Amino acid sequence: YDYIFSPVFDANNEIVAVAGTTRDITEMRQLSEQKDEFLAMASHELKTPVTVIKAYTQIFHRSAQEANDKQAAALSLKMEAQIDKLTSRIAELLDVSRIQGGKLHLQEKHFDFNELIDSVVEEIQRTTQRHQIIRRLTTSKKVFGDQDRIGQVVINLLTNAIKYSPQSDVIYVYTKLVNENQRDRIVFSVEDFGIGIPEADQERIFERFYRVTGGNQNTYPGLGLGLYICSEIIKWHGGTIWLENKKEGGSIFSFSLLLKK
Ligand code: ADP
């Protein structure tokens, strides 16, 4: 049951009573659980054939190369790139269903933060020639958390920065050490000079399925899940994630994590 309390006002706008009602939400909860189960099942079902198709494409690519069939080789690479996109969409759906089901199990350990940033930046830099990712990192610190999951957040923020700055060529990545409420934290930021996010959308940008509409925003593909997943991962680590808009265009996404005591 869901309890709803509402004040009852008299003619002078004074509260004279509080009325309570209850609402049976069993059915609503069951429906939402069914939806979560469906999401989990559907994404698992999609994952298997896509993995198999990817393997076939790789075999196809190899034999095209051996046969010196340039067109087939080029085509199979294009197919692989599309399959990779599909795979990451499915991974997003799986992550959402894990988050919703409270099953985002973190594998936490101490790891070197800059080493993680360096390896992610190098990996992402290889995917783009148009953008240059410039690093400004403080002395490295050890962070306690799930290295892969935090790496996933960094990958996501960087790929968004690239995706939403089609005209610009520089992306800054920096870290800062701050002390807040007597605790040392590391702040990581990605700054781009792209299309930016309208002020009206900023508050909701970390919500599930939320995407900016209007303008030419619809030309960028996506499900609106990436930032939601990022914010959940950071929250599960006890950190915070936020967005700063820049007047001169572009955005800065940052997250902070607690450092070892
Ligand atoms: P999507 O997969 O749709 O990109 P995200 O959750 O990663 O989903 O982002 C949500 C929305 O936030 C995007 O649809 C886009 O409108 C906006 N957005 C995210 N990152 C940026 C950025 N760096 N610059 C401009 N807009 C962005």
Side-chain angles (χ1 to χ4, degrees):
Y1 286 93
D2 193 14
Y3 298 93
I4 304 165
F5 293 101
S6 30
V8 178
F9 297 97
D10 67 5
N12 302 320
N13 251 348
E14 303 276 342
I15 298 179
V16 288
V18 175
T21 41
T22 57
R23 186 166 56 151
D24 189 348
I25 56 164
T26 321
E27 204 178 325
M28 267 160 64
R29 186 164 302 136
Q30 272 171 356
L31 257 177
S32 136
E33 275 168 14
Q34 274 172 10
K35 245 168 46 190
D36 291 343
E37 266 169 46
F38 174 78
L39 185 60
M41 215 175 60
S43 26
H44 274 292
E45 287 296 315
L46 293 171
K47 202 173 152 184
T48 320
V50 171
T51 313
V52 176
I53 296 171
K54 166 126 180 171
Y56 287 155
T57 317
Q58 283 169 331
I59 296 169
F60 182 67
H61 181 69
R62 223 171 300 137
S63 49
Q65 271 182 326
E66 277 162 21
N68 207 14
D69 185 341
K70 291 211 172 68
Q71 197 187 11
L75 256 178
S76 57
L77 280 187
K78 283 189 181 163
M79 274 153 63
E80 252 186 79
Q82 294 301 319
I83 294 167
D84 288 344
K85 277 190 190 157
L86 195 51
T87 308
S88 49
R89 289 287 111 81
I90 295 168
E92 282 182 344
L93 291 174
L94 267 173
D95 277 348
V96 170
S97 83
R98 283 194 192 106
I99 291 166
Q100 299 279 301
K103 290 190 190 113
L104 191 79
H105 302 298
L106 298 181
Q107 313 273 324
E108 296 185 292
K109 59 170 195 207
H110 287 287
F111 66 90
D112 188 287
F113 197 70
N114 283 13
E115 262 173 39
L116 174 69
I117 302 304
D118 283 335
S119 73
V120 170
V121 167
E122 280 153 28
E123 179 190 328
I124 301 295
Q125 184 64 76
R126 277 195 289 275
T127 66
T128 173
Q129 281 166 351
R130 204 151 28 97
H131 298 84
Q132 200 197 347
I133 309 171
I134 297 172
R135 272 166 275 182
R136 291 178 178 160
L137 307 183
T138 53
T139 47
S140 195
K141 291 283 172 196
K142 287 252 188 263
V143 165
F144 184 73
D146 188 320
Q147 184 171 347
D148 290 341
R149 288 294 184 185
I150 292 171
Q152 181 185 348
V153 175
V154 177
I155 290 174
N156 224 304
L157 296 182
L158 269 175
T159 44
N160 274 354
I162 291 172
K163 178 163 138 190
Y164 295 104
S165 48
Q167 314 274 330
S168 335
D169 55 358
V170 196
I171 289 161
Y172 290 110
V173 160
Y174 36 85
T175 54
K176 248 185 342 209
L177 298 174
V178 297
N179 187 286
E180 240 175 57
N181 305 328
Q182 266 110 54
R183 295 294 306 270
D184 288 326
R185 293 160 210 266
I186 191 155
V187 178
F188 169 84
S189 308
V190 175
E191 174 173 11
D192 69 58
F193 298 84
I195 63 173
I197 297 169
E199 213 164 305
D201 296 294
Q202 287 177 19
E203 214 177 298
R204 304 192 54 193
I205 208 75
F206 295 102
E207 284 176 21
R208 193 157 56 123
F209 301 121
Y210 194 82
R211 306 197 72 215
V212 176
T213 51
N216 57 357
Q217 294 261 9
N218 288 331
T219 55
Y220 303 92
L223 295 175
L225 293 176
L227 287 179
Y228 166 73
I229 296 167
C230 288
S231 77
E232 287 294 316
I233 291 174
I234 296 299
K235 267 191 241 160
W236 282 52
H237 280 88
T240 40
I241 186 164
W242 67 95
L243 155 73
E244 287 159 65
N245 223 35
K246 300 187 299 170
K247 288 196 185 68
E248 62 279 24
S251 8
I252 308 176
F253 279 92
S254 307
F255 65 78
S256 77
L257 291 171
L258 273 177
L259 289 172
K260 214 163 49 160
K261 260 196 185 156

